[in-house]
Amino acid sequence: MLPMTPKAKQRLLMTIVLLAGLFAILKLTYWVHFHQGKIDIQQQSERQLKELVNFLDGALSRYESIPHVLSTNPMLADVLNDQQNAKKVQELNLYLEEIQHVTEASDIYLIDALGIAIAASNWQQPFSFIGKDYSFRPYYTDAISGNLGRYYAVGTSSDKRGFYFSYPIYQQGGKGILGAIIVKVDIADIEQQSTSIAMAGQYQFLISDPDDIVFISSVDEWRLTSLTPLTQTKQYALNASKRYAERPIGELLIKPQYQEDSLSHGHIYQIRAGKNLAQYMDTHHLMTKAGWRVHILAPMKPLLESMPALMLLSASIYLLLALGLLFSSERRRNLQRMQLAQSLLEQRVEERTQDLQQANDRLKDTQDELIQAAKLTVIGSLSASINHELNQPLAALRSYAQNTQTFLARNMQDKALDNLKIIIELTDRLADIVGQFKSFTRKSQGTDSATDLKGCIKQALTIVQPEIDKQGVELDVLLPEGQYQVWGDKVRLQQVFVNIMSNAIVAMQQSSKRTLSIRVNCADKFCISIQDSGPGVRESQMEKIFEPYFTTSERTGLGLGLSISQRIIESMQGQINVANAEDGGAIFHIILPIYLAEERQSS
Ligand code: ADP
């Protein structure tokens, strides 16, 4: 496997963090919503439970006092004392039937001290209770002991579920118990009404007995099932009590196993509903008098069904926020990268500018060196004539000095003084010549200033004068009157003139007629023309002579003179060009801008 790049690693890490965050957010959303939903359901269930219990209490208590009221009727004790009197029994039957109609009880019947029914409201029904033994029923035992009896069971004769209230019938004068009067309430009616309430409240309910047998429920299949496992002992006990008559009791499929916990509410159970198991929250209440445990079972389905949409919503919000965050951090990083790149660029530009500046400085130095070298080359080519120019006054000096010695020996002081004057003049001339060369050969600093054009031409002529003399060149110089000023470096401009003049002298070496004419014209610019009477420049070389290292003088020339001259003139915003004159010879034109002091100041 290829090793991961740091970027790929970072991406992987980010994806893991994003997924972990998503997982956490889903879990949190589920937990919060489920928790809150449970609280809401529980609060609602508690309200509904209270309502249902109130309703059940009311439904039962309507009948609770009837046995007591009936027991006060002497007719009942009379019948119990005179059981064989069919007329009295029949009257009681009719009376009980009427009471049953009025109270809407299921059945009302009178049992004797042995638990045998003597009279009953259902006397003419096929399942009439008359003659049946109810001594096994706890409501009989309670009443015979002098108490109000409460019990619920499936009727052995009617096979209907009922709630029984019993009350003892005392002997006239309160001595001894003769039997008991029992009022049976039909549970099916109560169940039906409770189911309607449950349906309106969108919940299910069930009522279990102390043995955890469900005997009332809004769900048919839950009825007469056991909430807890039906052990054999439990089965025996149920059979012995005959509470559920012959009805088979099954086991309700409930997960986790039901545990009666009177204190804790909100247990969530999965209970069989049809083919499937459905989740319900259990909230319950024990009706102590009746011995009923009423359970409200609120379905969890709506809450569970609302979960995916909610989780999707929170996942979307999370992802939107996370992506927004990622986007903004990526943007910030890009910005930082751009800023870094920019500052790097600026730094590089700075470095390059410095390099360029240094290169420029070096170039300028080199250029200066080159200009100097070219100047020295010209001087070199003129050296023989310069030598001659210096030797002449030196020789004269020597002979004047010798003559002065002779004059002094002969005591001819006046003559000696004259000679000394001449000697001084000669040394001044020598100093002049040397001074000219010294200032010409001085390395220029390249500093521009207002420069006297005619002065420059004259000084250049002084430099080439020895060569002019040597070669026997005729000078034809015409400089007009007036101040002719240009802006530039004096020594360099002088160098240009020396260069062109010395080239001209060289060119005329083979010519029989040697004339060097110099003219200065002034229109909107200065035009300096330097013409010789040499062979001129060959047409093929016209373009090349200003190129560096082009020379036809193999012995002395560097081929830099004209190219440097062109540079110097161009740096003064001028032009230089060459042509061949009609009457032969080369003619160089130098065009320079006129320098006006006011212009320079204002610019
Ligand atoms: P160099 O004098 O060292 O040769 P330059 O650049 O001064 O270098 O001159 C280049 C060439 O131009 C010369 O070698 C010569 O051939 C030509 N040239 C210059 N001036 C003249 C002139 N007045 N007449 C004819 N040719 C000339």
Side-chain angles (χ1 to χ4, degrees):
M1 210 173 85
L2 283 171
M4 280 178 106
T5 61
K7 206 163 184 181
K9 263 188 203 164
Q10 199 187 355
R11 270 205 200 126
L12 181 72
L13 194 77
M14 225 139 77
T15 314
I16 292 172
V17 170
L18 201 76
L19 288 177
L22 183 65
F23 179 73
I25 217 80
L26 287 177
K27 195 117 184 126
L28 189 75
T29 309
Y30 184 90
W31 186 82
V32 169
H33 187 56
F34 190 72
H35 188 70
Q36 189 55 47
K38 259 176 72 174
I39 291 173
D40 293 347
I41 292 173
Q42 198 172 336
Q43 285 172 349
Q44 195 183 19
S45 293
E46 269 162 18
R47 273 197 311 275
Q48 290 169 335
L49 180 66
K50 211 177 263 177
E51 276 169 25
L52 187 65
V53 168
N54 281 345
F55 166 75
L56 291 168
D57 246 348
L60 291 180
S61 59
R62 270 175 61 202
Y63 300 97
E64 192 168 9
S65 57
I66 296 172
H68 187 198
V69 174
L70 286 174
S71 72
T72 56
N73 190 335
M75 198 176 161
L76 272 67
D78 198 22
V79 169
L80 283 170
N81 283 326
D82 191 7
Q83 289 183 26
Q84 303 312 315
N85 189 330
K87 195 176 164 234
K88 280 184 183 171
V89 170
Q90 187 52 26
E91 272 174 20
L92 184 60
N93 278 340
L94 290 169
Y95 172 67
L96 293 180
E97 190 181 356
E98 195 185 330
I99 299 292
Q100 182 262 323
H101 276 303
V102 174
T103 59
E104 289 179 341
S106 169
D107 303 287
I108 303 175
Y109 50 103
L110 181 72
I111 54 172
D112 65 11
L114 297 172
I116 310 292
I118 293 162
S121 59
N122 56 14
W123 59 275
Q124 53 183 351
Q125 301 288 332
F127 53 84
S128 174
F129 297 171
I130 296 172
K132 299 273 165 57
D133 182 357
Y134 293 106
S135 60
F136 67 95
R137 291 293 199 198
Y139 58 74
Y140 159 75
T141 330
D142 288 341
I144 286 301
S145 320
N147 298 316
L148 167 70
R150 286 189 195 86
Y151 191 64
Y152 57 92
V154 174
T156 43
S157 324
S158 63
D159 198 37
K160 280 194 212 160
R161 288 168 299 151
F163 195 89
Y164 303 83
F165 293 102
S166 64
Y167 203 80
I169 309 290
Y170 290 94
Q171 190 68 271
Q172 290 282 331
K175 293 171 228 141
I177 293 169
L178 295 172
I181 180 78
I182 291 108
V183 173
K184 181 182 175 186
V185 181
D186 190 359
I187 279 180
D189 283 351
I190 295 176
E191 185 179 58
Q192 204 177 7
Q193 289 172 45
S194 306
T195 303
S196 305
I197 296 172
M199 270 169 71
Q202 294 180 330
Y203 63 88
Q204 306 293 358
F205 79 96
L206 61 86
I207 299 174
S208 59
D209 71 9
D211 294 319
D212 299 326
I213 306 295
V214 178
F215 64 95
I216 299 179
S217 175
S218 55
V219 181
D220 292 344
E221 63 179 303
W222 293 353
R223 206 171 296 130
L224 296 175
T225 56
S226 173
L227 292 175
T228 46
L230 265 178
T231 56
Q232 253 189 349
T233 343
K234 192 169 165 180
Q235 196 82 53
Y236 282 141
L238 281 174
N239 289 343
S241 76
K242 293 189 192 165
R243 175 174 263 177
Y244 298 107
E246 303 298 313
R247 298 278 189 96
I249 305 290
E251 224 176 85
L252 183 62
L253 182 57
I254 181 165
K255 284 180 187 174
Q257 195 180 336
Y258 172 76
Q259 271 172 350
E260 189 181 291
D261 183 351
S262 53
L263 292 175
S264 89
H265 286 261
H267 270 303
I268 293 174
Y269 292 108
Q270 286 189 302
I271 307 176
R272 189 186 61 207
K275 283 180 187 164
N276 303 316
L277 288 173
Q279 283 198 16
Y280 295 97
M281 185 191 284
D282 175 31
T283 311
H284 51 87
H285 175 79
L286 180 67
M287 293 172 66
T288 32
K289 270 203 226 161
W292 291 358
R293 189 172 289 279
V294 183
H295 298 260
I296 291 276
L297 292 162
M300 299 295 286
K301 201 173 165 191
L303 177 64
L304 294 173
E305 278 177 350
S306 70
M307 272 321 177
L310 205 83
M311 283 163 80
L312 194 73
L313 184 74
S314 65
S316 309
I317 292 171
Y318 165 79
L319 284 175
L320 266 177
L321 283 176
L323 287 178
L325 220 69
L326 273 179
F327 178 71
S328 73
S329 84
E330 188 64 22
R331 231 185 78 148
R332 211 173 40 241
R333 236 178 290 146
N334 275 347
L335 217 67
Q336 279 172 350
R337 270 203 289 268
M338 267 166 64
Q339 278 169 349
L340 192 73
Q342 197 177 339
S343 67
L344 267 174
L345 194 72
E346 278 169 9
Q347 197 183 329
R348 268 200 207 139
V349 168
E350 178 80 11
E351 282 168 13
R352 288 285 164 279
T353 312
Q354 272 179 15
D355 287 354
L356 220 62
Q357 187 64 43
Q358 282 169 3
N360 236 359
D361 291 348
R362 279 200 298 275
L363 202 69
K364 195 172 174 308
D365 288 349
T366 314
Q367 205 176 20
D368 288 350
E369 294 294 335
L370 214 60
I371 292 172
Q372 185 66 6
K375 194 158 65 180
L376 292 179
T377 311
V378 180
I379 289 292
S381 69
L382 298 174
S383 63
S385 51
I386 294 166
N387 207 13
H388 176 75
E389 184 77 2
L390 287 174
N391 274 341
Q392 238 187 349
L394 274 175
L397 257 182
R398 194 168 196 285
S399 84
Y400 277 112
Q402 277 173 346
N403 284 345
T404 310
Q405 265 183 334
T406 316
F407 287 142
L408 285 175
R410 290 180 191 165
N411 215 6
M412 295 166 71
Q413 288 197 357
D414 289 347
K415 291 259 185 194
L417 276 174
D418 288 345
N419 269 8
L420 282 174
K421 244 190 227 165
I422 295 168
I423 287 170
I424 290 167
E425 279 169 20
L426 280 170
T427 50
D428 282 349
R429 202 177 140 210
L430 272 172
D432 264 3
I433 296 168
V434 172
Q436 295 279 358
F437 285 106
K438 200 177 152 196
S439 92
F440 181 69
T441 51
R442 197 184 73 223
K443 191 175 174 185
S444 163
Q445 294 307 307
T447 40
D448 293 345
S449 60
T451 299
D452 174 21
L453 177 65
K454 286 193 294 184
C456 265
I457 295 171
K458 279 178 194 164
Q459 272 158 356
L461 278 170
T462 320
I463 306 285
V464 294
Q465 191 62 49
E467 192 66 16
I468 288 174
D469 294 344
K470 189 180 163 195
Q471 300 292 336
V473 174
E474 189 189 325
L475 258 183
D476 174 20
V477 181
L478 207 67
L479 302 177
E481 291 294 311
Q483 272 260 318
Y484 280 40
Q485 281 200 316
V486 290
W487 184 261
D489 184 298
K490 192 170 86 183
V491 183
R492 289 197 174 164
L493 184 57
Q494 207 177 315
Q495 183 178 348
V496 173
F497 294 135
V498 170
N499 199 46
I500 293 171
M501 288 173 193
S502 57
N503 275 349
I505 296 165
V506 172
M508 291 186 292
Q509 263 175 359
Q510 307 301 323
S511 307
S512 50
K513 187 181 170 250
R514 298 170 189 171
T515 311
L516 178 66
S517 30
I518 299 166
R519 298 280 182 277
V520 176
N521 291 310
C522 175
D524 55 339
K525 288 187 175 178
F526 292 128
C527 178
I528 307 111
S529 315
I530 302 171
Q531 185 179 355
D532 61 57
S533 55
V537 180
R538 274 198 231 148
E539 282 305 317
S540 60
Q541 293 170 353
M542 278 289 186
E543 297 291 314
K544 291 183 186 163
I545 62 168
F546 291 102
E547 285 175 11
Y549 306 108
F550 176 80
T551 180
T552 51
S553 160
E554 282 159 18
R555 265 188 322 120
T556 51
L558 277 180
L560 288 173
L562 284 180
S563 79
I564 286 173
S565 297
Q566 192 180 42
R567 291 266 172 89
I568 293 170
I569 295 301
E570 280 174 1
S571 76
M572 293 170 74
Q573 322 301 322
Q575 286 165 4
I576 180 167
N577 55 57
V578 66
N580 284 324
E582 274 174 21
D583 51 345
I587 176 162
F588 283 83
H589 294 290
I590 297 164
I591 295 147
L592 286 172
I594 298 168
Y595 170 69
L596 298 168
E598 312 84 60
E599 254 181 38
R600 181 64 60 174
Q601 271 165 14
S602 63
S603 67

